[in-house]
Amino acid sequence: MGFWVRFWGVRGSIACPTPRHIAFGGNTSCVEIEADGQRIVLDAGTGIRELGHSFMKRGIDHANILLTHTHWDHINGFPFFGPGYDPSCKFDVMAGHLADHGGVRQVLAGQMATPMFPVPLETLRAEMTFQDFRAGESFEIGTVKVRTALLNHPQGATGYRIESGGKSVCYVTDTEHVLGTHDENILKLIDGADLVIYDSTYTDAEFPEKVGWGHSTWQEGVRLCQRAAVKQLAIFHHDPDHEDAFMENLEREALEMWDGSLVAREHMRLTLI
Ligand SMILES: [Zn+2]
Ligand SMILES: [Zn+2]
C-alpha cells in the first residue's frame, strides 16, 4: 500500500483561472491523500470538482473529507463534487471548528440553500455522514492516525497530521503567525513530519500590511519546518494576486532559503512511500 499526496487546488481566497495562473493553478484548496488504502480529501475548494471526475474515472466510491474550516475557498467546490450525487458512493465529512456553531452539515447545507444555489444538500444521493469534533482531538481512519490542532484564523480552523507506515503529512492552512514568535500548536503538530503543506498566502515583505487577515508567509513556513525538523515544506494557499511570474520568482527564493521547500502546483503528486 502506498502513501501519496496530490494537489487538486492550491489557491487561497478565490479561484483565479486566468492565463496568468496556468503554471501553478487557479483552483482553491483541495488535496487528495492515499494512505494504506484509505482515501482522505483535505478541503472542498473548487479543486474538488476535478477530483470528483478523477474518482469517477478511477472507480473510487469512498473517501473521508476533512475540512480545515468553512470559508468559501475551502467548501465552494462541494456542490460540484460529482460523486456526491452517485448513490453507489459514500463520503464521511468531518470538521473541527463547528461543534458549537451548528455543525458541519448545517453549514454545508447553508451554502446550498435557496436562493444561493438551485440544488439543496438533500439532493446528494451518495451516502453521506457529517461529524464534528474539536480541533486538538485525534482519531483514526482505518490504520491511518489523524492528529489535529487549532489554528489561528478568524472563526477557527483545524490543522491535520496524517500518519501511516511511519511517515507523516501535515496540512496547516489557514493560519496567521505572530511576528517574533512561533505557534506552539503548529510546532507540536508538525514535529519531525515528512511533509508539511503550509498557508503561504503572503511573503514576509507583504505581511505587515496583512496582519489580522488570518494568513501566514512562506518564510514562516520555512522557519517552522526547520525548527520542527520537518523534511519538506509545500508552499500552499497561494494569493490570487501572485501570478505565475511572481510564483516562479518566489519558488527560486524559497529554494535559496531552504532546499527542503517546494511550491505546490495543481496536479502535483508527491509520494511518501
Ligand atoms: Zn483559505
Ligand atoms: Zn480561511
Side-chain angles (χ1 to χ4, degrees), residues 100-141:
D100 300 323
H101 303 280
V104 64
R105 187 185 190 286
Q106 184 181 310
V107 173
L108 291 177
Q111 177 183 230
M112 297 171 77
T114 186
M116 281 90 74
F117 198 71
V119 175
L121 185 78
E122 291 71 28
T123 314
L124 296 175
R125 287 288 166 262
E127 185 185 345
M128 308 282 289
T129 69
F130 298 92
Q131 195 181 335
D132 292 281
F133 63 94
R134 286 176 199 281
E137 292 176 358
S138 301
F139 50 92
E140 283 167 18
I141 297 173

Side-chain angles (χ1 to χ4, degrees), residues 11-13 29 68-69 71 73-74 153 173-174 199 201 215 237:
R11 289 283 157 186
S13 305
S29 304
T68 55
H69 63 312
H71 285 159
D73 52 324
H74 298 257
H153 195 62
T173 196
D174 300 9
D199 178 350
T201 306
H215 297 290
H237 201 272

